[in-house]
Amino acid sequence: MSRTVDIFVDSQVGIKTLVEEIESLLSIKLQLISYKDETWYEYRNYRIIMTLGEHEFENDRDMNFAEYRYHISVRSVKIETETNRQHWRDEFARLVFQKLKASQKYPLMLVSDLQVKLEEFCPVLSIVN
């Protein structure tokens, strides 16, 4: 089974709005995929596959998955060594996380293989008088 780096995003916006934002932030296009009763968005190139959709994960230890509406999963493909797979997977996931973080719009959680929390981010709300 392929390892993943996962980003959880809390947002009240619809998934299409989030997809458009990610496409704009990363200069990529996500494709709508439907299989049986499931629907998600996907981006793939020759090194990685990124999926975006809602999730039903339950909280686990210090990872409060239920607080986040959307799940972005990044995995590497067609790379021969685990070291290189890890490099491509980690770099792309970190890019996505950093771009979303810089937007200051969404609470985020970055997780390795759904097992280890790597980072959390909560945007600072500014109060204007």
Side-chain angles (χ1 to χ4, degrees):
M1 184 170 168
S2 182
R3 293 183 159 277
T4 62
V5 175
D6 304 278
I7 303 164
F8 291 85
V9 182
D10 185 27
S11 177
Q12 298 308 309
V13 301
I15 194 164
K16 287 184 180 182
T17 302
L18 183 59
V19 164
E20 290 169 359
E21 173 131 19
I22 289 172
E23 288 176 333
S24 176
L25 288 171
L26 299 173
S27 299
I28 61 173
K29 280 303 213 186
L30 290 132
Q31 180 180 2
L32 179 62
I33 307 288
S34 294
Y35 180 73
K36 297 186 181 182
D37 293 338
E38 292 187 58
T39 301
W40 67 93
Y41 286 84
E42 185 173 282
Y43 167 75
R44 61 175 59 218
N45 67 21
Y46 67 101
R47 296 284 187 218
I48 60 98
I49 295 175
M50 178 182 79
T51 59
L52 164 63
E54 294 191 32
H55 71 89
E56 296 179 1
F57 296 118
E58 294 182 10
N59 294 344
D60 184 17
R61 300 178 312 270
D62 65 336
M63 296 174 288
N64 296 321
F65 297 117
E67 293 178 6
Y68 300 90
R69 182 174 179 187
Y70 298 113
H71 172 222
I72 299 170
S73 183
V74 177
R75 65 185 171 95
S76 54
V77 292
K78 300 180 184 177
I79 302 172
E80 294 187 16
T81 69
E82 177 55 31
T83 301
N84 287 337
R85 283 191 296 272
Q86 180 180 354
H87 170 77
W88 282 94
R89 176 180 60 237
D90 292 357
E91 288 296 312
F92 192 82
R94 182 60 68 178
L95 172 69
V96 175
F97 186 83
Q98 292 302 331
K99 292 281 189 175
L100 288 169
K101 185 176 174 179
S103 76
Q104 291 285 318
K105 292 183 179 181
Y106 313 106
L108 306 167
M109 181 171 61
L110 182 67
V111 178
S112 177
D113 213 25
L114 297 175
Q115 298 297 313
V116 178
K117 184 192 314 183
L118 301 173
E119 186 176 342
E120 270 187 296
F121 170 75
C122 189
V124 177
L125 299 174
S126 61
I127 300 174
V128 179
N129 290 334

